[in-house]
Amino acid sequence: MSWRDNVCQTKTTRARVALQHNLFMANLVLQEHLVSVWGFCSKLTGARLQQLLPGQVLRLPEFLASQETKHDQSVVALSAFSDMVVGAVTTACHAALEHLETQLAQACPHTQGCSHLLEEQNWFPEHIQPIMLPCSESGLLQQDSHVQHSELQHTAGHGKHALAQQQLIMQHPDSAQEFKYTLRAARRTELRRLRSFVKMADYMMCDTLQQVLSASVMDILQAGIHEKQEAGAAAPASSVSEEAAVISNEGSDQPSLESDAAAASSPESTTDEAASQSARSCIFEVEVVLTITGTKITPSISHFLRALEALLADWMSVLSGLRRLWEADEVTSLIASPGQENPPHTPLAALVDAGDLQGLVAQLTQSWQAAFAQVEDFRQSYTPFEDMLRRNDSVNVPAMAAAYVESFSGQLLPASQAVTKSALTTGDAGQQNSTPAIAAIEPQHAGATISLKTFKGLMDDLRRQLKDIHNLSDKNDVGMFRVDAQQLKTALLPSPTALLAQLGQRLPRAAAQLYTAFIDQVHSATSMLKASISSVEEYVQQLAFLETLKANQSKVDEYYNQVQAAFELVLEYGMTVPAMDMAAYHTLTADMNALQQAAEGVEAHQEERTEAFGRELGNGAQSIIKQVAEMRTAAQAEMVLDENSEAEVVISYLSDLLQQAQTQQTEQERIVYHQSFLNFPKMVNDDLALAQEEIELRLLVWTSSTGWAEASQTWAETAFSQLDMLALEESIAAFAKRLLRMERGLPSNQVVKGLGESVKVMQGNLPTLQALRNPALRERHWTKLAAIMTTPLVTDPPLTLAQLLDLKVVSQQEAVVTLSVEASQEAALEDLLDHISSKWNSIDFSLIPFKDVKDAYILGSVEDVTAALEDSMVTMSTILASRRVQNITE
């Protein structure tokens, strides 16, 4: 049993020593400092790089500004954390090296004693045994004196045992060489162990920073989660913070990152507060604004994502800028072996960015995008207000008011037409809009007549719009975003407000215009019905007006009701009406009663006045019969029938008679119209039309005779070569047409006979004159003409028509016409000959090179020349076959 107990005890001792040597937390020297480092890390784990306070909703610029402030605090706190960790590790390394020196100083200077001590203290790993050298080999001590000196210098600053170790070696020179190797091996082992300790502390530091960064991202992600969590969900964070507070240095006055989360990390934090924080959904505030294209959320999701990207880059920059243990000179100077460099280490940014950070960032991005999509969906709830603005923009109140007034501008009463148009245009000059009113109002009214119902519906709609706008919530929580609609409400309000203001101005004015237009017609009608009657025309006009008034009674009543309804609508909606317009409106009923009384007065005296004016019309008809008989007798006066009478006197006489006949015709039409209107028999005198026709025919005879004489005189004095033959022919034809009418109406009139003879003579001379004006006549033709006539033709100076007729040219009419025809035929042959000549002037022969001979050419194709030659030969045959060719060839 004692042997087994001894073996167990030995194994237990070795295990305890091995744990104390390899497990830093079990090492009495490093335990205190490792706990300090762990406390610093635990305390920092509850800190955050962002600043999101419970219940706080920030706009993006405010959030970024708060993060700038948090950035400065984070830099200070993280730097303090780094310095504290470096200080704790430095202190731990000093303590471990001091403890090693103490152990070495207490060891036996003899080889066996030192070896026993080193083995008991387990300074070497199990697979490395200390090397024992004979004490006689003291020469090695001198050979390695520079190494010993270097090691002594390296350990000189580690504690008070350095001098004791040096004295110990000098006192025992025999075991110096053996102790030197043991010392170097122990120190190398300790330095390797301290480097592992530093590496572990550095990983603890990096892991803490990675947790802080991931937790900062996670907090932002959790802040946007909409579902409420149980209150106990926040308890673990609180317990970790409490434990970190116990382990951390209570006396530290350095700024800390966890100051913004004190409520959550404090031991006094309640479970309700943690639950409230986890249930918080809104963290950012956005605005819904109105643009030209519609509503818009600002800032957009792209702004938020860019801000998040910049924030993460800033956090990585802050963390990457911290001083690591491998970069601290006070640490590396303690654990570095002489002549050995520290191995390369993973950059801090790579260690911090490890783990699930990228996944968290991706989740955060997706969460924000999903939350913003909800905001966009919520923005669609403002679409009715966008449609409202579009409808309101299409409303043209001035055009609607003008169209409404115009729809009642029809003429009710003929006598008040001018007044109505004047009233409708007064007060709106220069203010009418050219936009069609139907196209300018809301779609539901398009294509319909604008009425008061239209305006009432529009005003009710505008009032509902104002109510809906005021009822809009200023702020709406949509997921992690709070939507601010105050700017949208401010932008929406002017549209219905302005339209209501326009209606408040235009509707009272339109009502006043309707009243003015209507009351002017009422006053005008009343005046006409009350006017004193002095003639049948006035009486008939009054009766006709009364009939029109009765026929339009329904329109008058409708207009009257419309005016009343317009003013009632204006007053119902509290619009301001000018005092003068309101006072005038109150007299509308009295004016309508006055019109009714005037109409009844006309009807009361209608029978009496109709009988009196009927007798007057009969007397007028008898007077016309008498005047017709006198005019027909006057038309048979002697000077009218005498062809030798002075034309001007006769024409003046007949013109007066014709005017009298026309006057009597107008009077008869007036009498017949009034008799028909008053239901009396029509008294029509048929002799009046016959008398007027006789007078017109006799006047036509004398005017035609005078006109023919003047035209003949003009033709006779005009040079024959300058005479317009077309006008001459038309004039002769016109006079011949009149002559036919006069011969049928007045067959025995001597003036007609004399005019007929003169016209017929001129008609007989016309073929000769036309032949002599043939443009084809040449000099040879005029020579032949002179040979035919007995009297030679003198062309210089030019002959007038009278001189030509005096030469008896008309007596040779047949010869002259034959000569003219001959000239025309010869001219046609000359035109054909000229055509052939001009054609050959434009024809060229084409040349082509002859083989390869320079400057030698031959004729090319002659098809065009041959075709032209054949055509010319045919034409020449036609010319030569004519019997007139001899004259043109001579």
Side-chain angles (χ1 to χ4, degrees):
M1 291 296 293
S2 60
W3 175 79
R4 290 183 178 181
D5 292 340
N6 187 28
V7 171
C8 290
Q9 183 178 3
T10 302
K11 289 183 178 181
T12 301
T13 302
R14 283 182 172 272
R16 183 177 63 255
V17 173
L19 286 175
Q20 290 179 350
H21 177 72
N22 295 320
L23 189 62
F24 298 125
M25 198 61 182
N27 190 292
L28 299 178
V29 178
L30 299 177
Q31 182 184 39
E32 176 183 359
H33 306 288
L34 184 60
V35 170
S36 298
V37 172
W38 183 79
F40 298 148
C41 293
S42 298
K43 184 177 182 181
L44 187 66
T45 303
R48 297 295 179 264
L49 297 175
Q50 37 76 15
Q51 187 171 359
L52 287 177
L53 301 180
Q56 185 181 32
V57 181
L58 300 175
R59 299 194 175 215
L60 184 59
E62 298 172 349
F63 175 73
L64 295 178
S66 66
Q67 295 309 310
E68 290 180 1
T69 303
K70 189 65 177 179
H71 169 85
D72 298 336
Q73 298 176 359
S74 300
V75 170
V76 174
L78 290 173
S79 299
F81 164 74
S82 176
D83 293 341
M84 288 188 292
V85 171
V86 169
V89 172
T90 303
T91 304
C93 292
H94 274 290
L97 293 175
E98 288 285 349
H99 181 72
L100 173 64
E101 298 300 331
T102 301
Q103 293 295 325
L104 292 177
Q106 293 175 357
C108 178
H110 297 285
T111 303
Q112 189 65 30
C114 291
S115 175
H116 174 73
L117 177 62
L118 292 175
E119 183 178 0
E120 183 180 356
Q121 296 297 331
N122 197 21
W123 286 110
F124 301 99
E126 294 181 356
H127 62 280
I128 299 177
Q129 296 298 327
I131 300 176
M132 302 302 178
L133 298 179
C135 295
S136 60
E137 299 178 358
S138 60
L140 293 177
L141 181 61
Q142 297 178 358
Q143 294 177 3
D144 295 338
S145 61
H146 63 284
V147 177
Q148 179 182 2
H149 179 71
S150 175
E151 290 181 352
L152 290 177
Q153 287 181 344
H154 177 68
T155 59
H158 291 341
K160 59 184 180 179
H161 304 288
L163 182 59
Q165 292 176 3
Q166 186 175 7
Q167 293 176 356
L168 182 62
I169 293 174
M170 297 299 295
Q171 292 174 2
H172 303 279
D174 296 335
S175 60
Q177 188 66 23
E178 178 182 353
F179 186 77
K180 180 186 66 171
Y181 284 112
T182 303
L183 180 64
R184 291 176 60 187
R187 285 173 176 166
R188 283 197 302 270
T189 301
E190 184 65 16
L191 290 178
R192 282 197 301 269
R193 196 158 64 95
L194 288 179
R195 280 195 293 271
S196 298
F197 172 75
V198 171
K199 185 175 182 179
M200 185 192 69
D202 184 71
Y203 281 160
M204 292 174 62
M205 177 181 176
C206 293
D207 184 65
T208 301
L209 296 179
Q210 195 273 340
Q211 292 182 26
V212 170
L213 180 58
S214 298
S216 299
V217 176
M218 178 61 74
D219 284 354
I220 298 179
L221 178 62
Q222 293 294 333
I225 295 179
H226 304 165
E227 292 81 11
K228 291 186 178 181
Q229 302 177 3
E230 294 296 329
S238 177
S239 61
V240 171
S241 300
E242 292 175 2
E243 187 174 357
V246 174
I247 298 175
S248 62
N249 187 1
E250 298 292 341
S252 176
D253 58 353
Q254 295 291 339
S256 61
L257 285 174
E258 64 275 10
S259 59
D260 57 341
S265 60
S266 174
E268 291 79 13
S269 297
T270 64
T271 305
D272 294 338
E273 292 175 348
S276 175
Q277 181 178 356
S278 64
R280 173 168 51 91
S281 60
C282 289
I283 57 176
F284 293 115
E285 182 173 297
V286 293
E287 277 188 310
V288 54
V289 297
L290 186 65
T291 63
I292 298 177
T293 57
T295 55
K296 176 184 177 182
I297 300 297
T298 181
S300 63
I301 184 61
S302 59
H303 290 85
F304 279 96
L305 295 181
R306 284 197 296 269
L308 176 61
E309 182 179 355
L311 184 62
L312 292 175
D314 179 67
W315 290 351
M316 291 296 298
S317 175
V318 171
L319 296 180
S320 300
L322 294 180
R323 187 176 62 155
R324 296 180 61 183
L325 294 177
W326 298 110
E327 299 171 354
D329 295 337
E330 55 267 42
V331 175
T332 56
S333 62
L334 295 176
I335 63 177
S337 299
Q340 182 180 3
E341 296 181 357
N342 292 326
H345 300 281
T346 305
L348 181 60
L351 294 175
V352 172
D353 197 20
D356 58 347
L357 178 61
Q358 295 301 325
L360 290 176
V361 173
Q363 292 181 22
L364 180 59
T365 302
Q366 294 175 0
S367 174
W368 283 18
Q369 290 175 341
F372 208 86
Q374 293 181 348
V375 174
E376 287 293 337
D377 293 340
F378 175 77
R379 184 184 62 83
Q380 299 300 322
S381 63
Y382 297 108
T383 301
F385 293 96
E386 298 178 17
D387 299 337
M388 175 202 77
L389 288 181
R390 282 191 290 269
R391 293 198 307 271
N392 292 351
D393 290 341
S394 66
V395 175
N396 190 328
V397 174
M400 290 175 61
Y404 168 67
V405 175
E406 186 66 24
S407 65
F408 287 91
S409 63
Q411 187 58 41
L412 301 178
L413 309 173
S416 58
Q417 182 175 3
V419 178
T420 302
K421 291 184 178 180
S422 174
L424 289 176
T425 56
T426 302
D428 262 348
Q431 299 181 9
Q432 296 297 331
N433 195 304
S434 60
T435 304
I438 295 298
I441 62 176
E442 295 184 64
Q444 60 264 30
H445 303 303
T449 303
I450 299 178
S451 62
L452 291 178
K453 185 178 179 180
T454 305
F455 289 106
K456 181 176 177 61
L458 178 58
M459 288 188 290
D460 291 341
D461 189 21
L462 293 175
R463 287 187 172 184
R464 284 193 297 270
Q465 291 178 13
L466 287 176
K467 182 179 179 181
D468 293 342
I469 294 173
H470 286 298
N471 289 339
L472 281 176
S473 300
D474 291 341
K475 297 181 184 297
N476 298 275
D477 291 347
V478 182
M480 62 177 286
F481 290 100
R482 176 168 292 170
V483 181
D484 186 354
Q486 293 181 358
Q487 185 175 351
L488 176 62
K489 293 174 63 175
T490 304
L492 291 175
L493 282 174
S495 177
T497 303
L499 287 178
L500 285 174
Q502 291 183 17
L503 289 170
Q505 295 176 354
R506 293 288 176 170
L507 273 184
R509 186 184 302 174
Q513 290 176 356
L514 284 178
Y515 168 80
T516 303
F518 178 69
I519 206 63
D520 286 345
Q521 295 186 69
V522 171
H523 290 166
S524 178
T526 304
S527 300
M528 177 167 286
L529 295 176
K530 288 184 176 181
S532 59
I533 303 301
S534 60
S535 63
V536 65
E537 287 79 12
E538 294 177 354
Y539 178 63
V540 170
Q541 184 178 6
Q542 189 180 64
L543 289 182
F545 182 80
L546 181 60
E547 292 297 328
T548 304
L549 181 61
K550 290 181 179 179
N552 294 336
Q553 187 62 46
S554 60
K555 294 184 179 179
V556 173
D557 294 341
E558 180 184 0
Y559 208 144
Y560 171 71
N561 294 332
Q562 192 66 214
V563 172
Q564 285 187 323
F567 275 92
E568 289 175 0
L569 179 65
V570 168
L571 296 176
E572 177 185 354
Y573 283 85
M575 300 179 184
T576 303
V577 181
M580 294 184 62
D581 293 342
M582 201 64 199
Y585 165 69
H586 288 310
T587 64
L588 178 62
T589 303
D591 291 336
M592 285 294 295
N593 293 334
L595 176 61
Q596 184 66 27
Q597 293 174 1
E600 293 174 354
V602 172
E603 291 178 343
H605 297 86
Q606 181 175 356
E607 183 177 355
E608 176 185 352
R609 290 178 178 176
T610 300
E611 184 178 353
F613 285 115
R615 290 192 298 269
E616 181 180 335
L617 293 175
N619 296 333
Q622 294 298 326
S623 176
I624 291 175
I625 295 174
K626 181 180 179 180
Q627 292 292 333
V628 169
E630 293 177 355
M631 286 188 295
R632 297 190 69 178
T633 302
Q636 300 294 331
E638 183 178 355
M639 67 174 182
V640 176
L641 302 177
D642 187 3
E643 59 180 345
N644 296 322
S645 299
E646 189 174 352
E648 293 182 0
V649 176
V650 177
I651 292 173
S652 176
Y653 176 74
L654 292 176
S655 297
D656 292 341
L657 284 179
L658 181 60
Q659 185 175 3
Q660 294 177 17
Q662 292 173 346
T663 302
Q664 294 302 321
Q665 180 67 32
T666 303
E667 179 64 15
Q668 178 175 273
E669 292 174 355
R670 183 187 71 85
I671 292 173
V672 170
Y673 169 76
H674 291 160
Q675 288 176 338
S676 176
F677 186 85
L678 297 175
N679 296 323
F680 287 110
K682 299 178 182 178
M683 301 179 66
V684 181
N685 186 1
D686 296 332
D687 292 340
L688 177 60
L690 295 176
Q692 185 174 353
E693 184 178 357
E694 291 176 357
I695 295 172
E696 289 177 350
L697 189 57
R698 284 174 172 78
L699 180 60
L700 179 61
V701 170
W702 283 96
T703 54
S704 298
S705 177
T706 304
W708 178 259
E710 294 176 354
S712 298
Q713 181 67 26
T714 302
W715 297 334
E717 295 175 354
T718 304
F720 181 69
S721 61
Q722 302 296 325
L723 195 61
D724 188 351
M725 293 305 297
L726 181 60
L728 178 63
E729 294 172 7
E730 292 176 354
S731 297
I732 293 174
F735 278 108
K737 185 177 180 180
R738 294 181 192 175
L739 185 61
L740 291 175
R741 178 186 175 191
M742 290 183 289
E743 288 177 346
R744 288 195 299 266
L746 300 171
S748 60
N749 192 292
Q750 297 300 319
V751 179
V752 174
K753 291 181 179 180
L755 178 61
E757 293 176 357
S758 179
V759 172
K760 289 176 182 179
V761 170
M762 197 62 183
Q763 284 179 327
N765 295 336
L766 191 58
T768 304
L769 298 178
Q770 291 174 339
L772 290 175
R773 287 297 302 274
N774 188 348
L777 291 174
R778 300 291 185 265
E779 186 63 29
R780 62 179 180 273
H781 303 120
W782 289 104
T783 303
K784 289 181 181 182
L785 180 60
I788 295 173
M789 297 180 61
T790 57
T791 305
L793 294 176
V794 180
T795 58
D796 190 17
L799 295 174
T800 63
L801 179 60
Q803 293 173 344
L804 190 62
L805 294 177
D806 291 341
L807 293 176
K808 307 299 182 180
V809 176
V810 179
S811 62
Q812 303 295 332
Q813 180 174 349
E814 184 177 355
V816 173
V817 172
T818 301
L819 186 62
S820 177
V821 172
E822 180 182 341
S824 298
Q825 293 176 353
E826 292 174 1
L829 295 177
E830 289 177 351
D831 290 341
L832 289 175
L833 190 59
D834 291 340
H835 175 70
I836 294 174
S837 177
S838 62
K839 184 175 183 180
W840 281 100
N841 288 333
S842 60
I843 293 178
D844 297 327
F845 288 97
S846 61
L847 300 178
I848 60 176
F850 176 70
K851 297 183 178 180
D852 296 332
V853 181
K854 183 178 182 182
D855 296 334
Y857 299 92
I858 61 174
L859 287 176
S861 176
V862 293
E863 292 181 0
D864 295 341
V865 178
T866 304
L869 180 60
E870 292 176 355
D871 293 341
S872 299
M873 291 177 66
V874 172
T875 304
M876 289 300 299
S877 298
T878 302
I879 295 173
L880 293 174
S882 175
R883 60 191 180 90
R884 304 295 182 188
V885 68
Q886 185 178 0
N887 294 334
I888 65 174
T889 57
E890 290 179 350

